Amino acid sequence: MKKSILILFVFVGFALSAQNTKVEVLKEFLKGTIQLDAGNIDLGQPIFTINELAASKADKVADLTKENVVEVLAEAKNYSTCIITVGVHTIVKITDFEDCSPSGAWGACMPMGKGYIQKAGVLSEVNDYLKNIIGRPGSQERKVFLFK
């Protein structure tokens, strides 16, 4: 019985440590753009919290759709930082507008980005073209946050 309780405490400790690490990774990722307070972040879905913070701090917010992707990306070039979220599971920052890859699904040349995708509670880092990070156009909510 004592071993079971000890194992349970160890497991809970590792789980909490992984959640705090996730917050630290996202804090570093957003450094200089959005100030994250670890006490106010939903540890299970931190990108949900980032969506709310970014909406209040961004200079411009837009929904990203197949119909407006060309205009939104063109406008994003005029800002210092462009962050895109997909639902509550993906966050990406555009890193290079000049290095882009044509996307038939989006009908635009999608720039290079760096971000994180959360699957099964774990953040995985991705460095790829935007089309490969945010997926194909569809019913998922994609938000663009532009910062001067």
Side-chain angles (χ1 to χ4, degrees):
M1 180 69 174
K2 289 182 181 180
K3 286 185 179 181
S4 298
I5 292 173
L6 180 63
I7 291 171
L8 177 65
F9 279 120
V10 169
F11 178 73
V12 169
F14 281 131
L16 289 175
S17 174
Q19 296 295 340
N20 288 335
T21 302
K22 191 184 327 181
V23 171
E24 293 304 317
V25 165
L26 290 172
K27 278 175 108 172
E28 184 62 31
F29 179 68
L30 296 169
K31 190 175 184 177
T33 305
I34 301 172
Q35 187 75 16
L36 294 181
D37 178 16
N40 296 333
I41 295 178
D42 179 344
L43 295 178
Q45 296 181 323
I47 296 171
F48 175 77
T49 306
I50 291 169
N51 274 333
E52 292 178 338
L53 284 170
S56 66
K57 303 284 185 190
D59 294 298
K60 182 163 186 177
V61 179
D63 289 318
L64 187 65
T65 64
K66 182 177 181 174
E67 292 74 31
N68 73 357
V69 67
V70 173
E71 294 82 18
V72 169
L73 291 177
E75 184 173 4
K77 290 179 182 180
N78 299 321
Y79 289 82
S80 66
T81 305
C82 175
I83 294 174
I84 300 171
T85 60
V86 181
V88 295
H89 57 79
T90 301
I91 186 166
V92 61
K93 187 185 306 184
I94 294 178
T95 57
D96 188 351
F97 282 100
E98 301 307 315
D99 183 8
C100 68
S101 175
S103 170
W106 283 96
C109 195
M110 303 296 271
M112 186 62 103
K114 176 185 178 181
Y116 294 91
I117 299 173
Q118 181 174 311
K119 289 183 184 174
V122 177
L123 282 179
S124 299
E125 184 176 354
V126 288
N127 288 298
D128 204 344
Y129 292 105
L130 196 58
K131 66 182 182 178
N132 298 327
I133 301 173
I134 67 170
R136 299 168 69 79
S139 61
Q140 290 190 76
E141 181 179 73
R142 291 172 175 85
K143 291 280 190 190
V144 177
F145 303 99
L146 302 173
F147 299 88
K148 292 266 183 201

